[in-house]
Amino acid sequence: MQVRTMAEMAAAGESPEVLFWVGCAGSFDARAQKITKAFATILHKVGVSFAILGPEEVCTGDPARRAGNEFLFQMMAYQNIQTLNNYNVKKIVTACPHCFNIFKNEYPVLGGTYEVVHHTTYLNELIQQGKIRMKEGESFKGRKITYHDSCYLGRGNDIYEAPRQVLEALDAELVEMKRCRKNGLCCGAGGAQMFKEEEPGTTRINLERSTEAIETGANIVAAACPFCNTMLTDGVKNAEKEESVQVLDVAELVARSMA
């Protein structure tokens, strides 16, 4: 894919409309790379002028801060802020709620103030503006989709409607889990839990959440976070439901449905 970097654009004397912050998962995790490609494909198709930082992008420091390593977080944050401010970045779009949350709520106090948009909100805006149009006889018509609220997107930032509105544009039947929106259940990965063993208990959180998703009878579990995607995919595998239930990011669903 021909995705330009901020450095290339700056060298050409250009500046993009948005910076697409890919994030560590979207860059290095094989599954999350598919989400990155899907979102970049959508941006290309609708003609959004965007760029990535490429090799200059460093982890936001969210897992370090959540795990208690404040020193490491501040080192990473200051490096990112310096890079972003050097390029005079105004608007950031990211497919990771963890990156979204920390940029929006925790970077400003360190000198990094930007307009930060989660990709589900951005996709919803593009659909409302008529820039994204769905194919006739679209492949998700009549299929059941259940949406899992990411903690950092939902309870953390009150974003509940945008992802659901995007899914409704697919003409699919949206079925809610018992625990959704403000009462949503964590997938088990937030707060740096992704990178450590669970505390003793009777059930792994991701297995419980995946069971709730499967019980809705949905063929597709829609996620809006690479961590949630991993945890729910593992839960579906554990339940041996891979043949009948798919875990897909909202961007992947849109990319497949676009005219």
Side-chain angles (χ1 to χ4, degrees), residues 110-123:
L110 300 173
T113 306
Y114 318 101
E115 182 190 349
V116 193
V117 186
H118 186 257
H119 79 315
T120 54
T121 305
Y122 197 66
L123 290 171

Side-chain angles (χ1 to χ4, degrees), residues 41-114:
T41 300
I42 295 165
L43 296 182
H44 274 311
K45 262 191 175 178
V46 299
V48 172
S49 163
F50 76 102
I52 58 170
L53 280 175
E56 291 184 277
E57 187 181 292
V58 176
C59 176
T60 60
D62 170 81
R65 178 170 253 193
R66 301 295 165 248
N69 194 335
E70 184 64 18
F71 175 68
L72 181 59
F73 159 69
Q74 296 219 4
M75 271 174 55
M76 288 170 157
Y78 281 124
Q79 185 176 340
N80 282 324
I81 289 166
Q82 199 170 8
T83 305
L84 293 166
N85 291 354
N86 277 348
Y87 286 120
N88 200 23
V89 169
K90 296 281 188 286
K91 186 171 184 174
I92 299 171
V93 177
T94 179
C96 176
H98 298 255
C99 299
F100 166 76
N101 177 70
I102 209 159
F103 274 134
K104 183 172 180 282
N105 300 316
E106 297 175 29
Y107 266 47
V109 85
L110 300 173
T113 306
Y114 318 101

Side-chain angles (χ1 to χ4, degrees), residues 3 21 24 31 62 70 73 78 99 109 129 133 150 222 229:
V3 179
W21 184 272
C24 302
R31 174 65 189 88
D62 170 81
E70 184 64 18
F73 159 69
Y78 281 124
C99 299
V109 85
Q129 290 162 9
R133 286 191 304 280
S150 153
N229 198 302

Side-chain angles (χ1 to χ4, degrees), residues 104-259:
K104 183 172 180 282
N105 300 316
E106 297 175 29
Y107 266 47
V109 85
L110 300 173
T113 306
Y114 318 101
E115 182 190 349
V116 193
V117 186
H118 186 257
H119 79 315
T120 54
T121 305
Y122 197 66
L123 290 171
N124 192 36
E125 286 170 8
L126 292 173
I127 290 168
Q128 302 300 332
Q129 290 162 9
K131 291 180 181 173
I132 291 178
R133 286 191 304 280
M134 302 303 176
K135 280 187 289 219
E136 288 296 320
E138 193 277 306
S139 53
F140 299 107
K141 196 177 179 73
R143 294 181 73 182
K144 281 188 178 178
I145 299 180
T146 189
Y147 172 68
H148 164 76
D149 288 287
S150 153
C151 297
Y152 281 73
L153 204 56
R155 288 192 297 268
N157 289 284
D158 272 333
I159 296 174
Y160 296 108
E161 297 312 318
R164 286 175 169 84
Q165 283 169 6
V166 173
L167 296 174
E168 279 161 9
L170 300 177
D171 237 7
E173 186 191 339
L174 191 58
V175 286
E176 296 285 6
M177 288 180 250
K178 212 174 278 182
R179 287 188 272 195
C180 62
R181 298 179 186 265
K182 277 195 163 63
N183 298 319
L185 181 68
C186 176
C187 73
Q193 291 288 326
M194 183 84 175
F195 308 102
K196 61 181 277 296
E197 294 304 314
E198 296 93 346
E199 283 82 11
T202 53
T203 315
R204 288 175 62 188
I205 294 179
N206 67 316
L207 302 187
E208 183 156 337
R209 187 55 167 166
S210 303
T211 301
E212 289 184 1
I214 292 162
E215 282 173 352
T216 63
N219 323 101
I220 295 164
V221 182
C225 168
F227 290 170
C228 294
N229 198 302
T230 298
M231 301 303 267
L232 293 167
T233 301
D234 285 353
V236 169
K237 276 181 188 164
N238 186 75
E240 297 179 347
K241 292 285 185 185
E242 295 153 279
E243 298 299 313
S244 54
V245 180
Q246 273 182 298
V247 181
L248 293 167
D249 188 86
V250 173
E252 292 178 302
L253 293 166
V254 172
R256 289 184 192 186
S257 311
M258 278 177 77

